[in-house]
């Protein structure tokens, strides 16, 4: 605990949670670990609970959100809970006509193409996500010292769903709008940044101890495009959050790490393609005036299929490489894959926590 | 033409094709351009010709291969033809039980999991791809000065199809085999390298003027994994090819470019995420003893949906950035997307060829 400041230490047990110590650039008593998508499809108790309930209904049922969020904490001894939700939840809550179709993903009734479409995107009001507020209240009672991470999808990733009308491999309509009509693009991302910022503000006010901004598809962009068309909007979202650490994550973002930090991240999520020590070096070279960076990552989720000896080697390597950072939160380089054996997740947590 | 060697100049008009001059690190009379997947789905004349013929049957019909390969050359004035084929063609020809299912992609009857499975992978014999040889013969008569590029899938990408049983988003079984059973993995890639090397040898002997090795999925790997589990096998494939330039391409390979060059590439394919001047710098830093690199790329295929003014800006930028290389072959950073308007491809070629 020696690395955290006196003020943080005075904040009591919550500030001493390993995840929060690492997020602030300190050396906690053990390497904190949680796994993106730890709450969800890989757990039989989750699949049983979800039977007969549509995804977006589950996300708006406080008891169900609480239970699903707690399941991996009980089972795996992870160092954080991640709020069970979906990146389209605030859009749906605000009134955008969309649904999550099993096997497909989000499907948007009226994809965005015109100025009128953009103007028709509603604002998000706190009362529309009251079930999420209630779930956070329930969770903070159950979680004790384990911090709850709130989350939202970043404006670019939300825009891709809205413009393509659903999940997209190549994001061609999104990029066509971005390059073909930059004014409309920025208007769209401005609206989405408002929704995302409000959703995160509500979560922080309700008591989450950290937030993660998921820009899942940002890795589809070059750094140039990211900086011109995305960074200003994600910056606005992240700069509105105070008092809790902000984690910023995307997949395939090796070229974007410095820009994603610049957006206002306290912790930069790194996928498995870039070793953590290389990521730290890249972040330091890009911003030598900033404090030493804090990173989160970066086990390839496929390694949870490779057997214990391989998993053990990879966990040890990643912990070693993570020492290059001021703080390291262990995680996957992407979310838990649906067919993952939950026992391998538990095993991975044990390996991360093991000393030496 | 001053940059090509005397021997190359003596080879006559074929050696003077802009693509071949650039591939050898020279400055041709115009920036050569071709587009991955230029032969195929985006062209109405292709869709008409293919009606009623299965993909793998089309790939083994010399007249059809010749016609489909010629269609984009006639329509777009590109500087190279790319042999119409599919990366599973040599596997199918050798006797692996697989098919290409429309809307899904390759589907393998018995996915590879055991030593017996690996030992059962047959060798490829020249006569099994005689229709491809015949197609190359027909094409060389029709093409005149326009060089024909042969191609094959790299061992890793082939392995992913064989292990997963089809296209895969996360390659989890493939990576599990790689890390969990490295001996079996290397045995598998050795077999696939044999097939790929033979397929390319046959194409070169039949008269293709360059080859491209497609490691479509290599970008799913970290550099460490690529170097340990893939590079030796792709090196064996590329080192077996002499007398024609070797292009080596994958998507999302910003971290892998130096390793992919090291495998024996004369030309390194770069996707749109890494600007060409950055790619050249990265290649030079990694191998200062080698000649200045030659690159291919790297227009985002989504830009063909963004309208002419945006396309014009991007083409100009990429040509400018390509000047950092010894030679630059203009291409997309990935294949032509199925819904692309063919007129935009023609327009892109005109923009690349425009001086200044």
């Amino acid at each position: 605990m020696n690395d955290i400041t006196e003020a943080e230490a005075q904040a009591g047990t919550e500030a001493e949670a390993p995840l929060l110590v690492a997020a602030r650039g300190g050396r906690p008593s053990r390497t904190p670990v949680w796994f993106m998508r730890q709450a969800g499809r890989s757990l039989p108790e989750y699949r049983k609970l979800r039977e007969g309930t549509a995804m977006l209904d589950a996300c708006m049922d406080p008891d169900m959100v609480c239970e699903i969020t707690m399941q991996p904490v009980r089972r795996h001894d992870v160092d954080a809970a991640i709020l069970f939700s979906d990146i389209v939840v605030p859009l749906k809550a605000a009134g955008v006509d969309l649904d999550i179709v099993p096997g497909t993903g989000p499907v948007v009734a009226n994809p965005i193409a015109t100025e009128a479409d953009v103007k028709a995107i509603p604002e998000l009001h706190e009362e529309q996500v009251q079930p999420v507020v209630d779930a956070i209240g329930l969770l903070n009672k159950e979680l004790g010292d384990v911090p709850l991470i709130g989350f939202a999808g970043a404006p670019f990733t939300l825009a891709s769903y809205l413009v393509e009308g659903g999940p997209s491999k190549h994001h061609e309509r999104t990029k066509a709008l971005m390059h073909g009509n930059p004014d409309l693009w920025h208007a769209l991302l401005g609206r989405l940044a408002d929704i995302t910022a409000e959703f995160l503000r509500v979560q922080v006010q309700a008591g989450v101890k950290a937030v993660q901004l998921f820009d899942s598809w940002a890795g589809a962009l070059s750094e140039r495009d990211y900086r011109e068309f995305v960074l200003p909007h994600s910056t606005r979202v992240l700069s509105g959050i105070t008092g809790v650490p902000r984690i910023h994550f995307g997949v395939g973002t090796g070229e974007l790490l410095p820009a994603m930090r610049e957006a206002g991240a306290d912790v930069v999520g790194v996928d498995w393609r870039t070793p953590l020590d290389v990521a730290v070096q890249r972040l330091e070279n890009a911003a030598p005036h900033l404090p030493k960076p804090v990173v989160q990552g970066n086990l390839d989720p496929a390694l949870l299929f490779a057997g214990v000896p391989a998993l053990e080697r990879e966990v040890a390597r990643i912990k070693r490489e993570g020492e290059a950072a001021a703080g390291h939160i262990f995680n996957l380089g992407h979310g838990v894959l649906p067919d993952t054996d939950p026992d391998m997740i538990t095993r991975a947590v044990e390996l991360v926590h093991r000393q030496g």
Side-chain angles (χ1 to χ4, degrees), chain A residues 299 303-304 306-316 344 347-348 351:
Chain A
L299 181 69
L303 260 295
L304 295 170
V308 173
L311 183 62
E312 202 166 344
R313 279 194 302 275
E314 289 292 294
V315 167
M344 287 300 286
R347 192 62 186 263
L351 290 169

Side-chain angles (χ1 to χ4, degrees), chain A residues 20-21 23 30 51 53 100 124 140 158 163 204 216 237 249 283 291 311 323 348:
Chain A
L20 299 178
V21 175
R30 68 181 190 184
E51 257 172 40
T53 306
I100 296 181
L124 178 69
N140 274 333
L158 294 179
V163 174
V204 171
S216 313
V237 170
F249 173 76
L283 290 164
L311 183 62
E323 286 168 13

Side-chain angles (χ1 to χ4, degrees), chain A residues 19-20 23 48 53 70 80 88 281 342:
Chain A
L19 180 111
L20 299 178
K48 196 170 162 215
T53 306
M70 288 304 299
V88 298
Q281 189 68 62

Side-chain angles (χ1 to χ4, degrees), chain A residues 311-335:
Chain A
L311 183 62
E312 202 166 344
R313 279 194 302 275
E314 289 292 294
V315 167
R317 173 179 66 75
I318 290 164
K319 282 181 70 174
R320 226 168 29 242
E321 291 168 354
E323 286 168 13
H328 173 212
I329 299 168
F330 199 103
N331 204 317
L332 300 177
H334 196 175

Side-chain angles (χ1 to χ4, degrees), chain A residues 114-264:
Chain A
T114 66
E115 198 181 331
D117 296 337
V118 170
K119 283 194 172 147
I121 296 174
E123 287 184 356
L124 178 69
H125 301 288
E126 182 167 350
E127 63 273 18
Q128 292 169 320
V129 287
Q130 188 60 41
V132 176
V133 171
D134 295 343
I136 293 170
L138 295 173
L139 278 161
N140 274 333
K141 278 180 210 147
E142 284 222 30
L143 277 164
D145 289 348
V146 178
L148 174 63
I149 303 174
F151 94 85
F156 169 70
T157 293
L158 294 179
S160 173
Y161 285 111
L162 290 179
V163 174
E164 306 288 342
S168 166
K169 251 168 105 170
H170 301 292
H171 313 281
E172 58 262 48
R173 282 167 198 81
T174 312
K175 291 175 175 179
L177 178 62
M178 179 185 274
H179 284 271
N181 193 342
D183 291 344
L184 186 57
W185 173 261
H186 285 294
L188 169 61
L189 260 71
R191 292 249 166 180
L192 296 174
D194 288 342
I195 291 176
T196 297
E198 176 61 7
F199 190 43
L200 287 174
R201 188 195 65 74
V202 167
Q203 293 180 49
V204 171
Q205 184 183 280
V208 300
K209 302 299 187 297
V211 295
Q212 176 156 325
L213 187 66
F214 280 82
D215 212 350
S216 313
W217 307 137
L221 299 174
S222 67
E223 185 186 358
R224 175 193 328 264
D225 285 354
Y226 181 82
R227 285 187 178 275
E228 180 172 350
F229 296 111
V230 177
L231 180 60
H233 307 286
S234 293
T235 301
R236 195 151 66 79
V237 170
L238 288 169
S239 67
I241 299 161
T242 50
V244 302
R246 301 158 298 179
I247 312 170
H248 197 186
F249 173 76
V251 182
T253 49
E255 312 278 354
L256 307 182
L257 296 173
M260 289 182 77
R261 184 185 194 196
E262 230 177 282

